[in-house]
């Protein structure tokens, strides 16, 4: 089913698989616009398969391929990888459930991500998301300094919470990680509803991160 724009000002995107093609596109755009000239750092974009079915495959986030790639990037010196890990940071980007106008009570009153309100950072005390206090502070400061809208969400204690590949990768690689993504409605349906502005907010934030 082809995607289309909707709304009085065409402010919504109606299309399947926005979860998680939006962040895959935004990450690729940010990396393409990134200029590594004069930089001593390496920017890496990982696009995994099988996230919705557990990630335990040769192509999923549970694979050892991530560590193998990082080892090759560090060259032949085995002592270099731990040093690089300690200086590195990862964004785990996956779509977010926006607050539904008919079910506002399902979200905490202080955590109600709105479509077109900007990329949303995810928190969970049970480690269903990998965001930590340090990572959250760094991302807030990055968004503030670059004038990029940033929202935050924490699922209510009495509601079940999904997860992402963030905790999987953070545990396997020891990388500091922040879970985030663009808010949308109708997730996993054949006609998901996202904001037309949020993918560009994501590109701006991911590029500033690099």
């Amino acid at each position: 089913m082809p995607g289309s724009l909707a709304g009085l000002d065409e402010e919504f995107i109606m299309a399947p698989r926005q979860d998680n093609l939006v962040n895959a596109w935004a990450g690729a755009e940010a990396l393409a616009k990134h200029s590594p000239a004069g930089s001593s750092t390496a920017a890496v974009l990982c696009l995994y398969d099988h996230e919705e079915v557990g990630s335990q495959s040769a192509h999923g986030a549970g694979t050892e391929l991530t560590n193998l790639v990082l080892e090759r990037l560090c060259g032949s010196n085995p002592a270099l990888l731990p040093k690089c890990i300690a200086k590195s940071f990862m964004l785990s980007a996956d779509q977010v459930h926006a607050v539904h106008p008919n079910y506002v009570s399902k979200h905490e009153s202080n955590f109600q991500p709105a479509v077109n309100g900007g990329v949303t950072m995810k928190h969970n005390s049970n480690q269903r998301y990998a965001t930590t206090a340090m990572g959250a502070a760094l991302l807030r400061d990055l968004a503030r300094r670059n004038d990029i809208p940033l929202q935050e969400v924490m699922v209510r204690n009495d509601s079940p919470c999904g997860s992402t590949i963030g905790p999987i990768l953070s545990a396997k690689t020891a990388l500091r990680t922040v879970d985030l993504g663009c808010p949308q409605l109708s997730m996993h349906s054949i006609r998901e509803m996202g904001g037309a502005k949020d993918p560009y907010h994501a590109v701006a934030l991911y590029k500033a991160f690099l």
Side-chain angles (χ1 to χ4, degrees), residues 46-50 54-69 165 168-169 172-173:
C46 298
L47 303 176
Y48 297 99
D49 202 354
H50 304 145
S55 298
Q56 297 302 311
S57 72
H59 312 292
T63 180
E64 290 297 325
L65 181 62
T66 307
N67 285 327
L68 294 175
V69 170
I165 64 174
I168 297 173
L169 288 170
K172 289 182 73 70
T173 64

Side-chain angles (χ1 to χ4, degrees), residues 1-12:
M1 179 180 293
S4 62
L5 295 175
L8 291 175
D9 298 311
E10 296 189 332
E11 67 270 35
F12 302 118

Side-chain angles (χ1 to χ4, degrees), residues 121 134-148 150 205:
M121 184 164 48
M134 180 184 293
L138 290 172
L139 197 69
R140 290 188 197 109
D141 184 60
L142 178 69
R144 178 188 57 79
R145 286 189 286 109
N146 290 276
D147 196 27
I148 300 170
L150 180 69
L205 184 63

Side-chain angles (χ1 to χ4, degrees), residues 1-125:
M1 179 180 293
S4 62
L5 295 175
L8 291 175
D9 298 311
E10 296 189 332
E11 67 270 35
F12 302 118
I13 300 174
M14 312 295 290
R17 299 184 298 280
Q18 292 186 60
D19 175 46
N20 192 35
L21 291 180
V22 166
N23 290 291
W25 173 83
E29 281 288 301
L31 187 63
K33 294 178 179 180
H34 172 59
S35 176
S39 174
S40 61
T41 62
V44 179
L45 174 67
C46 298
L47 303 176
Y48 297 99
D49 202 354
H50 304 145
E51 186 266 340
E52 299 292 354
V53 292
S55 298
Q56 297 302 311
S57 72
H59 312 292
T63 180
E64 290 297 325
L65 181 62
T66 307
N67 285 327
L68 294 175
V69 170
L70 294 178
E71 288 174 5
R72 292 184 67 181
L73 287 174
C74 290
S76 58
N77 184 356
L80 192 57
L81 180 59
K83 295 179 180 179
C84 290
I85 292 291
K87 295 180 179 179
S88 298
F89 208 93
M90 176 171 58
L91 297 182
S92 169
D94 194 15
Q95 293 291 81
V96 178
H97 289 283
V99 63
H100 195 292
N102 291 335
Y103 302 97
V104 175
S105 63
K106 292 295 184 180
H107 279 74
E108 292 280 3
S109 58
N110 293 327
F111 296 100
Q112 298 193 348
V115 171
N116 282 323
V119 176
T120 301
M121 184 164 48
K122 310 175 189 180
H123 304 268
N124 185 262
S125 299

